[in-house]
Amino acid sequence: MSVFAADTATSPLATVRQGLSAWGKSEVPGWVFAFKICLAALLAMWISMRFELDAPRTAMITVVIVMQPHTGMVLEKSLYRIGGTVAGALASLLLVDLFVQQRVLFLAGLALWIGLCTTGATFFRNYRSYGFVLAGYTAAIIGLPAVLHPEAFFPIAVSRLSGVTLGILCAGVVSDVIFPRRLSDLLRNRVRRRYTDFISFVRVSLSGTASPAELEKMHMRLVGDVITLESIRSAGALEDPEVRVRSQRLRKLNSEFMAASTTFHSFHQILKRLTRQPTPAGQALTTLYESLGKTLVSGDIPRSAHEAKLSARRIAAAQVLLSRRVRDMRLGHFPAGADTTLDFDTAAALLSRFLREMHAYTRTYAALAEERSGPVPPGDIRFALHTDPLVALLNGARAFAATLLAGAFWIASAWPYGIIALMNTAIMCALFAATPDPSRGVRRLAAGFGLGFLAALVLRFLVIPSLDGFTLLCAGMAPFLLAGAYLCSRPELAEIGAGYLIMLFYHLDELGDLVLYSPVAAVNDGVATILGVVAAGIMFMILAPAGGAWRKRRVAHQLRRQVVGACFDSPAGLVHRFESRIRDALRMETAGGNVPDEEGRLLVAWMFSALEIGRAVIHLRQDADAPLVPQPVAERVRKSVASLARLFGRPSATLRDAALDGVADAIAAIRVVAPDSPCGDGLHRLLISLNLIRNALQDEEAVLTAAVAGRPAVPRGGAIHAT
């Protein structure tokens, strides 16, 4: 007994060691990142002062903005920052040249430029969007001071460009030399985690060990991970040649994951519909489902390429077993040509398709570690982003209106610091327009500005005057810098930390001349900055708010429009564009994989409905275009597709009935031509797709049925995902 106790008891020293290890894993990376921000900022300040650049703050602020935890992200953001800065400088040169003596016309031109750049930023994601944002507000930063002093335009532009370039170089060097973190490592970990998360999701779904709410949360996290992984892949290609070599394979992996997850959800949905009431098809599918679940749930989750290869073999064996069991059940339980047989065939075909797609996904996952992995993946795998044009135009109009109103206030009040308020209003309206929750971002950045303003006053007027020499200056600034840098290292506080450091550096613009300190000017400067941010926040709340009900309706409309696109768009690469656009459209409204409210849950329901029916339509079009399909059948299928497009374009009970009639006519036409088409041939695949669509349209609990009936689609607290 004493031996057993000695083996299981945990000594105090071991407990301390475990605690320190856990603390190190969670805190050390953040502190390292904070140290790198401080080092790069101080290096930029030293170089600026050493070469007598006009404003060290530009280089220091650039360090804060471009510094990221991973080197590849620093490189990508720096690339778009320098490009946006050059574009903004050229735009400001044109505006100053045309309207230097007409302040009103200059403001109108500047507002138009910022509005156009904000509209462009909405159409892109990540750092491409940031490049458009920077092009917009750089024109304000350079052009507005030049309106008051036209002769100073070129010194201002050169100072801005040199400061931005210096900050980029300092951030890039420090990020790449001091404890570098590679995006290739992050990409590898995300690919592995996504694969294991999906396997876990499939297993808990098959075993029934998770609640509907837990399944929904897991599924939403996987939905958002598709676009995130694509963004990391794009940035990692700038950093690591290994990522570039595997870039197409990574796209293929992402595409196969989307296909497998959509098929798995479609199978769950039809299983739920067929088992809602006792039916022969439902009973047979339940037996098949449970036996397959025992096969897939057994064994450990693959965590290496070798284990993934073994898992792919098990999935291939499960495919053979499934086809045998389906054939035996079909012959023993169902009469030929009955609707019950078609329902069973539809669910069995989805399950078989899922195993094929899961097998392909697992094989690609296993092949990522290999130098050569067989044939090159198809080049038509492209991930398309989706933006509602109306939302983009409204974002641009908001930035345009905010800039004009702030400019009018500046001119009417003749407040010398009104130009700073105007500049910050323009910056905030452009910077946060394309984010999922602009008001929240502005509030958090404003909080950081307030803290940074107070810290800047203390540092500038109480600490720095008592310091002598650059070494003491760095020592006096270090605690203030570390506080903000640590906030930047925490994802939930990053916006507050960035605002803190930006405001702190903004008010340290006269480090080379301590005689020019003016507390009154500093206070006016800080108040103007915060007023500009507040004005932008008010604009986000009153003009096209992101969380408004109209926005949710627009997103639901755009999700339905993707199904219309699936009916008529060019078939080349359509499935990849369709899947990625739907996920991107929803991710902008449910950031972080959360479903915040009933309207958000309704959007998730529309996404699943669009994915299920849209994928079936794409397969339907592909099979209908096959050479061996009789022309009358192909014509009926095209008519059914057109009726589905009309339904999703403007849902109504009449159009739903028309779509059901079109699907029924196409099914009848196939049965007339080939009443006993064998499983797997083109006509049978058409039947499967048509019956899947018919089941989805007839589902009384589906969001589409609720929409045409004018009743709530998802009950409060109800689950969207089937169990």
Side-chain angles (χ1 to χ4, degrees):
M1 183 68 180
S2 59
V3 174
F4 178 79
D7 288 340
T8 58
T10 302
S11 66
L13 183 60
T15 303
V16 172
R17 188 182 297 114
Q18 292 174 358
L20 289 175
S21 176
W23 180 87
K25 291 180 180 179
S26 62
E27 294 293 332
V28 169
W31 281 110
V32 169
F33 180 60
F35 170 75
K36 290 163 72 172
I37 292 177
C38 294
L39 179 62
L42 293 176
L43 177 63
M45 182 181 71
W46 178 79
I47 294 176
S48 298
M49 297 175 71
R50 180 69 178 81
F51 290 95
E52 299 182 356
L53 299 182
D54 291 337
R57 67 182 181 186
T58 301
M60 300 170 76
I61 290 173
T62 298
V63 167
V64 175
I65 292 174
V66 303
M67 184 64 79
Q68 301 291 317
H70 296 85
T71 305
M73 292 181 178
V74 176
L75 295 175
E76 187 181 29
K77 193 169 188 179
S78 298
L79 176 65
Y80 286 104
R81 182 170 179 83
I82 194 67
T85 300
V86 172
L90 293 176
S92 64
L93 173 62
L94 179 62
L95 290 172
V96 169
D97 181 63
L98 293 175
F99 308 119
V100 67
Q101 295 180 342
Q102 298 291 332
R103 187 179 300 182
V104 174
L105 292 178
F106 175 85
L107 286 175
L110 178 63
L112 180 62
W113 170 254
I114 291 175
L116 291 174
C117 289
T118 303
T119 301
T122 310
F123 278 98
F124 293 90
R125 300 290 180 270
N126 303 317
Y127 300 132
R128 291 182 179 88
S129 175
Y130 175 69
F132 276 90
V133 169
L134 200 70
Y137 73 68
T138 295
I141 292 175
I142 295 176
L144 285 173
V147 172
L148 301 178
H149 304 285
E151 73 283 356
F153 173 81
F154 283 102
I156 294 171
V158 171
S159 175
R160 174 75 182 173
L161 287 170
S162 60
V164 168
T165 304
L166 176 60
I168 286 172
L169 291 174
C170 292
V173 169
V174 171
S175 178
D176 197 48
V177 174
I178 308 297
F179 301 111
R181 295 180 65 186
R182 304 299 181 189
L183 267 179
S184 54
D185 298 331
L186 175 63
L187 187 61
R188 187 181 303 110
N189 293 334
R190 289 298 291 259
V191 167
R192 183 183 300 115
R193 192 185 74 182
R194 205 264 302 277
Y195 181 81
T196 56
D197 285 351
F198 185 53
I199 294 294
S200 299
F201 171 72
V202 171
R203 289 188 170 189
V204 298
S205 299
L206 291 172
S207 62
T209 57
S211 66
E214 292 172 336
L215 286 175
E216 180 183 302
K217 186 175 182 180
M218 294 174 67
H219 203 165
M220 286 305 302
R221 186 167 61 247
L222 291 168
V223 166
D225 195 61
V226 171
I227 307 300
T228 301
L229 193 63
E230 175 64 13
S231 300
I232 298 174
R233 182 206 59 79
S234 176
L238 294 174
E239 174 195 83
D240 193 337
E242 291 296 322
V243 177
R244 289 194 293 274
V245 169
R246 292 169 170 80
S247 181
Q248 197 62 21
R249 274 180 267 171
L250 287 167
R251 283 184 170 179
K252 183 173 183 286
L253 184 79
N254 231 359
S255 176
E256 289 169 344
F257 164 74
M258 289 191 294
S261 62
T262 300
T263 301
F264 187 71
H265 176 75
S266 297
F267 170 75
H268 256 294
Q269 291 298 100
I270 196 168
L271 179 65
K272 180 187 71 172
R273 295 168 192 138
L274 294 179
T275 55
R276 193 172 295 152
Q277 299 292 335
T279 62
Q283 293 171 0
L285 283 170
T286 301
T287 303
L288 187 68
Y289 178 78
E290 291 174 350
S291 64
L292 181 67
K294 294 176 182 178
T295 302
L296 294 182
V297 170
S298 61
D300 296 330
I301 294 177
R303 300 185 183 277
S304 66
H306 176 68
E307 292 177 356
K309 290 180 180 179
L310 297 178
S311 179
R313 294 173 186 171
R314 289 197 299 270
I315 295 173
Q319 286 181 269
V320 176
L321 177 63
L322 174 67
S323 62
R324 292 175 182 172
R325 293 185 64 86
V326 167
R327 184 174 61 250
D328 294 341
M329 286 185 174
R330 195 173 187 273
L331 293 175
H333 291 79
F334 308 107
D339 285 341
T340 302
T341 306
L342 186 55
D343 289 339
F344 175 80
D345 286 349
T346 302
L350 285 173
L351 195 53
S352 179
R353 182 196 298 170
F354 167 70
L355 287 177
R356 289 197 307 271
E357 292 167 345
M358 193 65 205
H359 181 258
Y361 177 47
T362 303
R363 283 174 58 88
T364 304
Y365 172 76
L368 279 178
E370 300 176 0
E371 291 295 329
R372 297 183 181 274
S373 60
V376 178
D380 65 343
I381 299 178
R382 293 291 183 269
F383 290 88
L385 302 176
H386 173 75
T387 300
D388 185 351
L390 177 60
V391 172
L393 290 174
L394 286 175
N395 286 340
R398 183 199 296 116
F400 174 79
T403 304
L404 282 184
L405 290 175
F409 169 76
W410 171 44
I411 294 174
S413 65
W415 184 30
Y417 294 90
I419 192 172
I420 298 175
L422 165 60
M423 191 182 305
N424 281 277
T425 300
I427 291 173
M428 294 302 109
C429 282
L431 188 61
F432 289 101
T435 59
D437 191 351
S439 297
R440 176 181 177 274
V442 170
R443 288 195 303 269
R444 293 172 73 84
L445 196 67
F449 276 4
L451 294 174
F453 178 52
L454 295 177
L457 293 179
V458 173
L459 180 62
R460 185 172 176 181
F461 299 113
L462 298 180
V463 177
I464 290 180
S466 61
L467 302 178
D468 186 15
F470 185 77
T471 302
L472 287 179
L473 176 63
C474 292
M477 292 175 61
F480 295 88
L481 268 63
L482 278 173
Y486 178 74
L487 293 176
C488 289
S489 70
R490 315 297 296 182
E492 66 276 10
L493 301 173
E495 290 167 333
I496 297 176
Y500 171 91
L501 288 177
I502 289 171
M503 182 63 90
L504 181 68
F505 293 151
Y506 182 81
H507 285 275
L508 298 180
D509 57 333
E510 296 168 350
L511 291 174
D513 192 349
L514 303 181
V515 179
L516 296 179
Y517 285 174
S518 173
V520 175
V523 170
N524 276 284
D525 206 334
V527 170
T529 300
I530 295 174
L531 280 178
V533 176
V534 171
I538 293 173
M539 292 298 293
F540 280 119
M541 288 188 291
I542 64 176
L543 181 58
W550 75 272
R551 181 73 171 266
K552 304 294 184 183
R553 290 193 297 270
R554 285 294 303 179
V555 175
H557 172 72
Q558 292 300 311
L559 290 172
R560 294 194 300 270
R561 291 294 302 175
Q562 298 309 309
V563 180
V564 178
C567 295
F568 297 125
D569 287 354
S570 171
L574 177 58
V575 66
H576 314 302
R577 299 196 306 271
F578 171 75
E579 295 254 16
S580 56
R581 279 176 176 169
I582 283 186
R583 285 169 168 81
D584 181 66
L586 187 70
R587 191 187 66 155
M588 294 301 294
E589 300 301 319
T590 55
N594 296 318
V595 186
D597 51 24
E598 288 302 308
E599 290 181 339
R601 295 173 63 83
L602 186 61
L603 292 181
V604 176
W606 274 116
M607 182 203 73
F608 286 140
S609 177
L611 281 175
E612 181 181 9
I613 296 180
R615 271 284 300 276
V617 167
I618 293 173
H619 290 302
L620 194 63
R621 291 178 60 193
Q622 291 171 346
D623 292 328
D625 291 336
L628 297 180
V629 174
Q631 188 60 31
V633 171
E635 187 63 29
R636 293 288 184 89
V637 169
R638 294 189 187 99
K639 288 183 178 179
S640 69
V641 169
S643 65
L644 285 168
R646 289 191 292 271
L647 170 62
F648 275 84
R650 189 184 296 272
S652 69
T654 302
L655 291 177
R656 174 173 171 262
D657 293 340
L660 283 170
D661 291 340
V663 170
D665 288 345
I667 292 175
I670 296 173
R671 283 180 165 168
V672 168
V673 173
D676 297 317
S677 58
C679 294
D681 73 349
L683 291 177
H684 188 266
R685 290 195 300 270
L686 284 174
L687 278 176
I688 294 299
S689 298
L690 288 166
N691 191 56
L692 175 61
I693 294 171
R694 181 171 63 179
N695 272 275
L697 295 179
Q698 290 176 336
D699 188 355
E700 293 300 322
E701 296 183 4
V703 63
L704 180 62
T705 304
V708 300
R711 57 180 172 80
V714 182
R716 186 170 298 276
I720 295 171
H721 196 282
T723 55

